Amino acid sequence: MPSSKTERDAPPEAEGAAETALARDPQAEQLARIHHLLRLALVVTMLVVSIWLVGDVLMVLFAATLVAVILHNLATHLERHTRLPYWLALSIVVLVIISALTGLIWSSGPEISEQAIRLRAALTEQAHNLRDHMADSTLGRMILDNLPASLGGNEHSSEGNGFGSIAGSMTGFVTSAFGAAGTLAVVLIAGLYFAISPEIYVNGTLRLVPRDYRARARDLLLTAGQTLWAWTAGQALDMTVVGLLSFIGLWIIGVPLALALGVVAGLANFIPYIGAFVGAVPAVLIGLSQGTREGLTVLGLYAAIQFFEGNVMAPLIQRHAVKMPPGLTILSQTIFGTILGIPGLILASPLTAALLAMMDKATPPLSDDERV
């Protein structure tokens, strides 16, 4: 009893000293560290499972958010320079985009559509020819025997195989555009509503965060939005330059379907690094159909364009946009592409850029003695 009374009457300084001694206990520190790691592992596991289960919905939500960020920033820039109300500036931006797309479809739509259909047929034919040519050699047969069915291997599959399926997947946007029309409409409509009143959705998200963390969460959301805008603006410029250079170069060389191939190269460049190869494969196959020399010329053209893009365009864009490590970019594309399929591969880079910016904002920088 006396001892318990002494403990109750202990001054606050003694209690603080006891807590400090407990905190310095190596065993207690180790248990606290294990508890922190287990909690972090649980959160990461729940996040991965959630992405796995509702990944398609999350990709649609993120795509709509990306559309909203683009529309909102365009309208904000117009509002700042013209002193127009935000709703009027947003209406002008939407009308300009719709008018530009309508004019493009009206003027070049039939030609692009015709070239896209011819491109699909030509790629399918060249892919079958390439497979037959490889089957005539020992090395080619060995490669085909070790390729999975989805990549043209010799194993039979109920879903079809062969290089024709590769050509179909590379140019599948021609036929699958109608199948994806519903999802695209949802993304565009939701993105427009997000852009009309972004504060409603941002404030609603912040209400789900505990009050003590709302200010920090607000800063992180604003950082993510600014990063998405910077990444999208830089990538749009990059896509335009690559598409124009590809079209002009192929037209000068005399490769058929130069306009369609240029559009494919520009759109594929939305996916960094991997998109460069995806955009080059159709052009090289069409070039090979004209002859080995033409195929090698097309390959050299795309190599020169990517060299210019990587060493001239990218440094200029990254001065005002987002700089991402190439290894992390490819790794994120692999992870999100494996979990979420094609939508995850397409949206992996902007999503990773936003996450990196939020992590950079949320964590303190390394001191000089902590750096490697």
Side-chain angles (χ1 to χ4, degrees), residues 119-138:
L119 175 61
R120 176 182 175 85
L123 284 176
T124 303
E125 180 182 357
Q126 293 304 315
H128 282 298
N129 293 338
L130 178 60
R131 189 181 190 281
D132 294 338
H133 180 73
M134 293 178 64
D136 292 336
S137 64
T138 304

Side-chain angles (χ1 to χ4, degrees), residues 27-302:
Q27 186 176 2
E29 290 182 358
Q30 186 176 7
L31 291 175
R33 189 179 298 110
I34 294 176
H35 177 265
H36 177 72
L37 291 176
L38 290 176
R39 185 172 57 182
L40 180 61
L42 179 61
V43 172
V44 172
T45 302
M46 294 178 60
L47 180 61
V48 171
V49 171
S50 301
I51 294 176
W52 187 278
L53 294 177
V54 294
D56 294 337
V57 177
L58 293 178
M59 286 296 100
V60 171
L61 177 61
F62 180 74
T65 303
L66 189 60
V67 172
V69 168
I70 296 172
L71 295 177
H72 174 72
N73 280 274
L74 290 175
T76 301
H77 281 75
L78 182 61
E79 177 189 18
R80 185 181 301 115
H81 289 88
T82 61
R83 306 294 182 181
L84 293 173
Y86 174 78
W87 66 269
L88 183 57
L90 180 62
S91 301
I92 294 175
V93 168
V94 174
L95 289 176
V96 168
I97 293 176
I98 294 176
S99 300
L101 292 176
T102 303
L104 178 63
I105 294 174
W106 183 268
S107 61
S108 303
E111 182 181 359
I112 295 177
S113 177
E114 180 184 357
Q115 289 202 11
I117 295 174
R118 291 170 55 194
L119 175 61
R120 176 182 175 85
L123 284 176
T124 303
E125 180 182 357
Q126 293 304 315
H128 282 298
N129 293 338
L130 178 60
R131 189 181 190 281
D132 294 338
H133 180 73
M134 293 178 64
D136 292 336
S137 64
T138 304
L139 179 61
R141 287 193 299 270
M142 184 179 65
I143 294 176
L144 291 176
D145 290 339
N146 289 276
L147 278 178
S150 59
L151 295 179
N154 288 328
E155 297 181 2
H156 296 284
S157 174
S158 59
E159 298 179 356
N161 57 2
F163 280 89
S165 62
I166 301 177
S169 63
M170 288 187 301
T171 59
F173 67 93
V174 177
T175 56
S176 64
F178 297 100
T183 302
L184 181 61
V186 171
V187 169
L188 294 178
I189 294 174
L192 178 59
Y193 278 113
F194 288 170
I196 292 175
S197 302
E199 64 279 356
I200 295 179
Y201 305 98
V202 175
N203 292 336
T205 302
L206 291 176
R207 290 186 64 180
L208 302 176
V209 180
R211 187 180 299 272
D212 296 339
Y213 300 96
R214 287 178 181 174
R216 191 63 177 274
R218 178 182 179 274
D219 292 340
L220 294 179
L221 289 177
L222 292 177
T223 299
Q226 295 170 359
T227 302
L228 287 176
W229 165 246
W231 187 91
T232 305
Q235 203 65 21
L237 177 60
D238 192 82
M239 291 167 58
T240 303
V241 172
V242 170
L244 286 176
L245 291 178
S246 301
F247 164 64
I248 295 173
L250 294 172
W251 178 73
I252 293 175
I253 296 174
V255 176
L257 311 174
L259 179 58
L261 291 171
V263 172
V264 170
L267 293 177
N269 217 61
F270 182 83
I271 308 173
Y273 305 109
I274 296 178
F277 296 97
V278 174
V281 169
V284 173
L285 289 177
I286 297 299
L288 288 174
S289 68
Q290 307 297 309
T292 305
R293 180 180 178 181
E294 287 76 6
L296 294 177
T297 304
V298 172
L299 183 61
L301 170 67
Y302 273 79

